[in-house]
Amino acid sequence: MPPPAPTTSPDAPHSSQATAEQESARSASEDSHSSRNFFVLAGYQIAMRTGWIFKTESVIMPAVLDFVAGAGWVRGLLPLLNRFGHSIPPLLLARRVKNAPYKKWIFCLTTTLIATLMLAMASLFSFTEQPIAWWVPPVFLVFYTMFFVCIGVNHLAFNTLQGKLVATTRRGRLLLFANVVGATTAVLCAFFLLPLWLNAERPRFDLLFAMAGGMFAVSALLAALLVERPDNYHEPTTSVSRVLVDTGMLLRRNVQFRRLAFVGSMFGTSMMLFPHYQSIGLQEMQLDLKNLMWWVVIQNIGTGLFSVPAGILADRRGNRIVLQIALLGIAAAPIVALVLRLANVGGWYCLVFPLVGLTPVVIRTLQNFTLEICEPADHPRYLSTMALCVSLPLFLSPLVGLLIDLIGFEIVFIGICVIVLIGWLMTLRLREPRHHVNVSFLQTSD
């Protein structure tokens, strides 16, 4: 059993990043438990994806909120609350995750809370009847916010564990295996169950959320099976203001991470459109509620299919090329939605959702890229900063919903497409760290 990692100051020099990353990759690959951990993490993601299809953020959740509320600005709260949970709590708790000797217990706890909150949402809708009581939307949004606070810390723990337990050249394989198998199981479950639970008279959102909560509980059990060596990091307690200052310093000091964070922020604007894709189909094109089933199925098939070349390319040629290809698909999604709406071909509207299915691929690629441009001891800090940068644009999401109510979809959707393309242009200035032995360029400023 290898000895614990040495204590590392958060502000230690980064000149040995390449060596540290290579040692981390070699340690993970030589660990007698590496194969077990690989398949446990894959199984965890498969169970999570299977449950997630019953609460997809681009289809199911906005449809639920439209069912109980209806206004565009209320729908626009979903990405804001979602990304608040993905960004602020992980940033504030990154030190605790780093200092924890065993990250897997944070991972298990947050997954258990995720399952519990989803089952609480199921119980909320098991008592709802038409007309919807006034208190249902605010209670739903409170549960939703708590859920994503737990998700944000959970993702930080997961990605830190991935950086610790999975070798650099196997992370693309993990992306491929988990997404392909997870998409397959999710699609099969959705294909058989969603038609039974989605109908115009009384959609069974309680059963959707109960199914999701059950699969998240399976994920929590799998998380407990990880085998992890203890860490020996110690980073002193700091104030919230100091955390924010350190985040700014990190971005200023590491030019490659700053560019990557800019790409992440431009990509993040695309998620503001998630609640509105289904609205175009159901409200503007007057499509039946049962189309939700086909949209979530096709979206997950898209994720699975795109993950195959993405995983192979990432392991063989690095993450930059994957990021560049996937961002072009993300930029195309709003344009495809507008063209199909203008042509009024409702039967083809499902073509939007394979492009939306690229979102998990882009997020995972950004995270894997981040893991490669910092030392293992700094993984929590870098990952939480990346999550914050991706999330920042989404704090304007209610305004985007209001603008759609006032001026329509066209200008907003085209504007988001242009912003994502600006982020794509910045990827041309990124360097692939895996191809550089000397990575001193990572720490120099422009």
Side-chain angles (χ1 to χ4, degrees):
M1 181 73 70
T7 303
T8 306
S9 167
D11 296 316
H14 294 267
S15 59
S16 61
Q17 286 180 3
T19 304
E21 181 66 10
Q22 291 164 2
E23 289 176 356
S24 173
R26 184 164 53 249
S27 174
S29 63
E30 293 174 356
D31 192 320
S32 60
H33 298 293
S34 62
S35 293
R36 169 180 172 157
N37 287 331
F38 179 94
F39 286 107
V40 168
L41 288 173
Y44 175 92
Q45 292 180 86
I46 290 165
M48 285 292 287
R49 177 162 290 281
T50 304
W52 203 271
I53 199 170
F54 294 96
K55 61 154 303 298
T56 50
E57 299 307 305
S58 56
V59 179
I60 300 291
M61 298 308 269
V64 171
L65 199 55
D66 279 348
F67 183 77
V68 300
W73 71 268
V74 177
R75 196 187 317 126
L77 288 172
L78 293 180
L80 184 154
L81 299 175
N82 177 327
R83 299 318 298 186
F84 168 83
H86 273 95
S87 57
I88 303 302
L91 188 70
L92 298 180
L93 295 175
R95 184 192 65 83
R96 290 183 179 274
V97 173
K98 173 182 175 177
N99 289 345
Y102 294 96
K103 276 66 175 174
K104 82 170 191 177
W105 298 120
I106 298 175
F107 190 42
C108 288
L109 174 62
T110 51
T111 309
T112 302
L113 290 173
I114 287 164
T116 303
L117 285 163
M118 188 51 57
L119 293 173
M121 285 191 198
S123 66
L124 173 67
F125 281 93
S126 65
F127 299 108
T128 0
E129 298 288 346
Q130 291 281 19
I132 301 297
W134 65 268
W135 52 268
V136 172
V139 171
F140 171 76
L141 290 173
V142 168
F143 281 153
Y144 187 87
T145 304
M146 294 168 63
F147 177 87
F148 275 101
V149 166
C150 295
I151 282 284
V153 181
N154 176 266
H155 284 187
L156 175 62
F158 173 86
N159 289 307
T160 303
L161 279 167
Q162 181 182 238
K164 181 178 178 181
L165 303 178
V166 181
T168 301
T169 53
R170 298 188 75 197
R171 292 172 193 160
R173 203 174 313 166
L174 179 60
L175 167 72
L176 186 159
F177 183 78
N179 277 353
V180 170
V181 179
T184 303
T185 57
V187 163
L188 289 173
C189 289
F191 187 80
F192 287 107
L193 296 176
L194 285 181
L196 302 175
W197 297 340
L198 290 175
N199 59 76
E201 292 75 29
R202 188 180 186 274
R204 296 302 305 271
F205 296 130
D206 55 334
L207 296 180
L208 264 66
F209 294 156
M211 178 67 181
M215 293 308 301
F216 298 159
V218 171
S219 294
L221 294 174
L222 287 170
L225 299 178
L226 288 168
V227 178
E228 179 189 7
R229 298 185 308 273
D231 288 328
N232 186 28
Y233 300 131
H234 177 70
E235 183 176 323
T237 303
T238 56
S239 64
V240 173
S241 60
R242 185 62 198 173
V243 169
L244 296 175
V245 169
D246 288 345
T247 299
M249 291 291 293
L250 186 154
L251 290 166
R252 189 176 72 176
R253 182 178 61 213
N254 190 324
V255 61
Q256 288 300 301
F257 182 64
R258 184 166 71 246
R259 290 171 180 168
L260 187 66
F262 178 83
V263 174
S265 293
M266 299 299 99
F267 156 72
T269 62
S270 69
M271 289 187 277
M272 290 192 286
L273 302 182
F274 276 8
H276 308 293
Y277 286 120
Q278 61 81 35
S279 181
I280 288 179
L282 296 183
Q283 297 182 21
E284 296 285 314
M285 303 175 76
Q286 299 295 307
L287 298 176
D288 189 86
L289 189 65
K290 289 188 177 180
N291 281 281
L292 294 180
M293 183 271 288
W294 291 109
W295 296 343
V296 297
V297 163
I298 290 170
Q299 180 175 323
N300 277 265
I301 289 174
T303 300
L305 291 178
F306 288 129
S307 296
V308 175
I312 294 170
L313 271 175
D315 282 349
R316 292 183 179 179
R317 297 188 56 189
N319 291 298
R320 188 180 74 159
I321 183 67
V322 176
L323 194 57
Q324 290 172 333
I325 295 170
L327 281 174
L328 290 176
I330 293 291
I335 302 303
V336 171
L338 290 178
V339 169
L340 293 172
R341 172 176 175 262
L342 182 64
N344 197 27
V345 284
W348 294 97
Y349 190 66
C350 60
L351 294 178
V352 174
F353 294 94
L355 299 174
V356 177
L358 279 165
T359 300
V361 176
V362 175
I363 291 174
R364 184 65 64 202
T365 304
L366 286 168
Q367 292 163 345
N368 288 345
F369 205 125
T370 300
L371 290 172
E372 291 193 45
I373 57 177
C374 63
E375 293 183 7
D378 288 331
H379 282 170
R381 229 169 26 119
Y382 273 74
L383 288 166
S384 59
T385 303
M386 174 56 70
L388 176 65
C389 292
V390 171
S391 301
L392 281 175
L394 284 107
F395 287 90
L396 299 175
S397 185
L399 177 60
V400 167
L402 182 60
L403 282 174
I404 288 174
D405 283 343
L406 294 175
I407 63 176
F409 293 94
E410 291 83 357
I411 295 176
V412 176
F413 274 48
I414 292 171
I416 295 296
C417 172
V418 170
I419 291 171
V420 174
L421 289 175
I422 291 171
W424 181 86
L425 289 173
M426 179 59 77
T427 65
L428 301 177
R429 300 194 65 196
L430 290 173
R431 301 185 193 179
E432 180 56 57
R434 206 176 302 173
H435 299 160
H436 294 262
V437 176
N438 180 0
V439 293
S440 59
F441 71 86
L442 293 175
Q443 300 303 321
T444 59
S445 57
D446 285 331

